[in-house]
């Protein structure tokens, strides 16, 4: 019998009622019933983003919203500061370079959070930089960056905006778009939003819209001003991802019903339980100092062939986890605890991790991780 538990940091499991909503017969994206869906979703997205501004809905994966942020805000020859502390930080740099924007990297070791003082120094050195790009949660390393502190540094600079990839942060932990003065916040559907891949979102502040008006970079599909105009009529510029947006209505209803505060507390507990479980096996975390509650990155112990873990744990034990990317390939394992994941999923994931580590020759006390996680979950 095969039954797979999806504990990858995207895509994540999709709840049954969301699946059911997406299976309904097709409706037309310009007709009233669908516009009513968009109207509702628009309001609920504001709740999720903690903003009064509109949240644009794009038919792409999260990277589309990242690319759109660069293409809509910046102009030829602009400079931008990019926090690079993992695969997704590097993606900001690659997008900037594709558009002829000069990326000034602020590097942090993979597994460490960036120090806001590094960003302050970069801003002092290049005050003409139009934007600071970063991740709230760097999924490739399981690190949480100090977004609020960095936003404080940017807020006082009239001609610079902060652009936050919150793809594994929104719906995971507290990210206050308006209160923290985050100028652009983007996310995607297949992480904490409990949906299949295929939707991206972007929310812009008044300061960001002013910058967008001056932007001369080429854009067509990801034209934020065009999307904003259409959203005012409860539409998207092109054919809407109808079924996904109907699914979004169901997933946002779940989030609203639970309440952000409860959602963050629940996710935090699952994350703490996972970290405690891993440590009880004598394993080390890649990001012990600033872990993201989205996923836990675990260092593969010395002498164990880490490259084998993701396929073995999935094929033999029915749990899907992620390995490492780039130079961390074979060196880490990542277990997600965002979205539609509960305590029993985490316990199963830890049990499967014990099984696979034992198969690969690591000696451990059976049940130690599950026991440590249970102690946290029961508290
Ligand atoms: C998943 C993810 C993305 C987007 O990747 P897509 O494959 O385009 O959905 C971007 N940034 C972070 C931090 C992510 O976790």
């Amino acid at each position: 019998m095969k039954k797979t538990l999806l504990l990858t940091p995207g895509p994540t499991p999709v709840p049954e009622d969301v699946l059911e909503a997406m299976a309904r017969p097709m409706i037309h994206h310009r007709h009233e019933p669908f516009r009513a869906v968009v109207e509702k979703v628009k309001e609920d997205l504001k709740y999720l983003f903690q903003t009064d501004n509109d949240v644009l809905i794009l038919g792409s994966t999260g990277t589309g919203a990242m690319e759109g942020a660069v293409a809509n805000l910046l102009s030829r020859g602009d400079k931008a500061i990019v926090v690079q502390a993992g695969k997704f930080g590097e993606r900001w740099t690659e997008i900037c370079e594709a558009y002829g924007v000069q990326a000034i990297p602020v590097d942090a070791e993979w597994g460490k959070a960036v120090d806001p003082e590094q960003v302050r120094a970069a801003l002092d050195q290049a005050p003409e930089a139009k934007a600071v790009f970063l991740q709230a949660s760097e999924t490739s390393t399981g690190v949480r960056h100090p977004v609020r502190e960095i936003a404080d540094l940017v807020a006082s600079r009239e001609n610079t905006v902060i652009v936050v990839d919150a793809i594994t942060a929104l719906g995971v932990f507290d990210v206050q778009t308006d209160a923290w003065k985050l100028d652009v916040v983007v996310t995607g559907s297949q992480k904490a939003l409990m949906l299949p891949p295929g939707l991206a979102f972007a929310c812009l502040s008044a300061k960001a819209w002013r910058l967008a008006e001056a932007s001369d970079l080429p854009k067509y599909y990801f034209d934020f001003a065009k999307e904003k105009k259409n959203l005012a009529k409860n539409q998207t510029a092109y054919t809407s991802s109808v079924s996904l947006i109907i699914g979004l209505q169901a997933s946002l209803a779940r989030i609203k019903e639970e309440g952000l505060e409860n959602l963050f507390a629940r996710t935090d507990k699952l994350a703490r339980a996972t970290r405690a479980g891993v440590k009880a096996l004598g394993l080390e975390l890649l990001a012990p100092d600033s872990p993201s509650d989205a996923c836990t990155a675990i260092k593969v112990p010395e002498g164990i062939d880490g490259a084998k873990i993701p396929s073995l744990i999935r094929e033999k034990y029915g749990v899907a986890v992620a390995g490492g990317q780039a130079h961390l390939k074979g060196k880490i394992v990542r277990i997600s605890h965002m979205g539609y994941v509960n305590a029993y999923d985490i316990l199963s994931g830890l049990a499967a991790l014990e099984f696979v580590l034992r198969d690969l020759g690591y000696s451990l006390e059976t049940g130690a991780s599950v026991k440590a996680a249970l102690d946290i979950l029961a508290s």
Side-chain angles (χ1 to χ4, degrees), residues 9-10 60-64 66 88-89 91 135-140 165-168 188-191 197-199 338:
S60 75
T61 67
T63 306
M66 294 172 73
F88 292 105
R91 186 166 298 178
Q135 273 62 40
S137 165
E138 174 51 82
T139 320
S140 65
D165 165 358
I167 295 178
T168 57
S189 54
Q190 80 274 27
K191 312 281 170 89
L199 286 180
M338 66 186 142

Side-chain angles (χ1 to χ4, degrees), residues 56 68-75 78 130 159 161 183-184 204-217 219 222-226 228:
L56 308 178
V70 172
N72 281 270
L73 268 81
L74 300 180
S75 294
D78 275 353
K130 289 259 185 74
N159 299 312
V161 294
D183 294 302
V184 182
L204 279 70
S205 69
K207 190 177 172 188
W209 281 115
R210 276 198 299 280
L211 198 57
E213 274 169 32
S215 162
D216 69 1
L217 290 179
K219 49 198 149 278
F222 295 112
D223 184 333
F224 285 2
K226 208 185 309 175
K228 186 180 159 78

Side-chain angles (χ1 to χ4, degrees), residues 2 311-319 355-356 359:
K2 231 178 178 161
S311 54
L312 193 60
I313 196 170
R314 178 165 44 86
E315 284 158 18
K316 194 165 170 194
Y317 300 109
V319 176
F355 284 144
V356 78
D359 285 353

